Amino acid sequence: MKTILNLIWLILSGFWLACAYFIAGLLLFVTIIGIPFAFASWRIAGFALWPFGRTAVPRSDAGAGSCVGNVLWLVLAGWWLALGHVITGVILCLTIIGIPLGLANFKLIPISLTPLGHEIVSTDRPFAAPRW
């Protein structure tokens, strides 16, 4: 079931959202200060390509640097990437077949707002709730 949902997701919204994360990473990679943010953006791009069966969990070694970095990320790129998830999630929820895909978009909003200090792990449940 996860594979079918991931394939439908990839066609309807995953590819475009991953492209947005990849472009954001390229723009952030241009500056020396933005390189850690670029890697976080590319990590989320992989998650946005194939979200079912994976979830984001907080890292135990995340500290104050992750918090400061998340504030910078929110200002630089996080808000418009989260807005993309909200828009595509609402559009997908308008159809019955798109409801699981819309919920996956809403699952990606917290990690798109604060990506630093989290890691993406596999899970055996297709709709695993993030453990914040």
Side-chain angles (χ1 to χ4, degrees), residues 86-109:
V86 169
I87 291 170
T88 56
V90 168
I91 290 170
L92 286 169
C93 283
L94 293 176
T95 64
I96 292 176
I97 198 166
I99 290 174
L101 305 174
L103 294 177
N105 259 309
F106 299 141
K107 177 179 97 169
L108 287 168
I109 291 173

Side-chain angles (χ1 to χ4, degrees), residues 57-102:
V57 294
R59 291 176 48 186
S60 60
D61 61 346
S66 294
C67 182
V68 171
N70 280 330
V71 171
L72 289 172
W73 170 266
L74 183 66
V75 172
L76 295 174
W79 68 271
W80 62 271
L81 290 169
L83 183 65
H85 286 294
V86 169
I87 291 170
T88 56
V90 168
I91 290 170
L92 286 169
C93 283
L94 293 176
T95 64
I96 292 176
I97 198 166
I99 290 174
L101 305 174

Side-chain angles (χ1 to χ4, degrees), residues 18-88:
C19 284
Y21 280 108
F22 186 74
I23 291 169
L26 285 177
L27 292 173
L28 290 167
F29 199 81
V30 172
T31 66
I32 300 296
I33 297 172
I35 290 174
F37 301 110
F39 288 128
S41 181
W42 294 332
R43 187 178 64 240
I44 301 170
F47 188 33
L49 272 176
W50 212 252
F52 293 99
R54 298 193 302 172
T55 189
V57 294
R59 291 176 48 186
S60 60
D61 61 346
S66 294
C67 182
V68 171
N70 280 330
V71 171
L72 289 172
W73 170 266
L74 183 66
V75 172
L76 295 174
W79 68 271
W80 62 271
L81 290 169
L83 183 65
H85 286 294
V86 169
I87 291 170
T88 56

